[in-house]
Amino acid sequence: MQAFWSAGYEGASVPLLAGAMGISVQSLYAAFGSKEALFREALDYYSRTVGGFGARALEAESDAIRAVIRFLDEAAVNFARTTGTPGCMIATAAAEVAEPSLSAYARQLRTDSVARISARLKRGVQEGQMSAGFDCDHWAWYIASVMLGMSVQARDGATADVLHAVARIAAASIEANRRG
């Protein structure tokens, strides 16, 4: 996962990947069949572990707006990490994949994130936290766009303080839509 994350799909050679896992190239092919299959497994592993913070944040709060704010705050913390590769693996390592099936898979993972945000906001509308006219789908795309932008900025060296400031600005914009 870390080799793909730091080098990207195209930049991570099979020998580099085998070395990162401490196995031979032959063992890599025997275990995974292809570099593409290994990349899919790495993305899935990332989604369940390091990158799973978003799904967990959206469900951890009883209030939808607080859940989105937590999602953005945790993105700032996770993306500005001081060890490993900054940013989001799905946003950065998977963004420039030339292989069409992998590009589509990464795009689907990002779209799934938007759908999770939208579903959480829709639940908030149903629970009376936002007005009935609140456009959950468009807000979900906005929040995902902010998160993806934070990932790129982290990769470019933005500090945790900068990313938290971005998260606070986005949080204020959604907080302004609270029913009340």
Side-chain angles (χ1 to χ4, degrees), residues 34-69:
S34 68
K35 179 180 172 181
E36 179 180 333
L38 177 58
F39 188 64
R40 284 178 184 267
E41 290 224 15
L43 287 174
D44 290 343
Y45 180 75
Y46 173 84
S47 295
R48 289 189 314 274
T49 59
V50 179
F53 73 87
R56 290 187 296 272
L58 290 172
E59 292 307 315
E61 299 287 336
S62 60
D63 178 82
I65 293 174
R66 286 292 325 141
V68 168
I69 292 168

Side-chain angles (χ1 to χ4, degrees), residues 6-52:
S6 62
Y9 178 78
E10 307 298 335
S13 67
V14 172
L16 173 77
L17 295 166
M21 295 188 304
I23 61 175
S24 69
V25 170
Q26 295 80 7
S27 295
L28 183 145
Y29 281 114
F32 299 98
S34 68
K35 179 180 172 181
E36 179 180 333
L38 177 58
F39 188 64
R40 284 178 184 267
E41 290 224 15
L43 287 174
D44 290 343
Y45 180 75
Y46 173 84
S47 295
R48 289 189 314 274
T49 59
V50 179

Side-chain angles (χ1 to χ4, degrees), residues 64-65 68 117-118 120-122 124-125 129-140 143 173-179:
I65 293 174
V68 168
I117 296 166
S118 181
R120 184 63 187 95
L121 291 172
K122 286 175 182 173
V125 169
Q129 297 155 3
M130 285 96 72
S131 66
F134 186 79
D135 189 335
C136 298
D137 292 333
H138 286 134
W139 272 96
I143 293 159
S173 70
I174 195 167
E175 184 71 53
N177 291 281
R178 182 177 293 284
R179 186 173 182 184

Side-chain angles (χ1 to χ4, degrees), residues 54-88:
R56 290 187 296 272
L58 290 172
E59 292 307 315
E61 299 287 336
S62 60
D63 178 82
I65 293 174
R66 286 292 325 141
V68 168
I69 292 168
R70 183 171 178 170
F71 173 86
L72 292 168
D73 283 341
E74 290 189 19
V77 169
N78 280 279
F79 294 168
R81 71 184 58 77
T82 56
T83 58
T85 305
C88 170

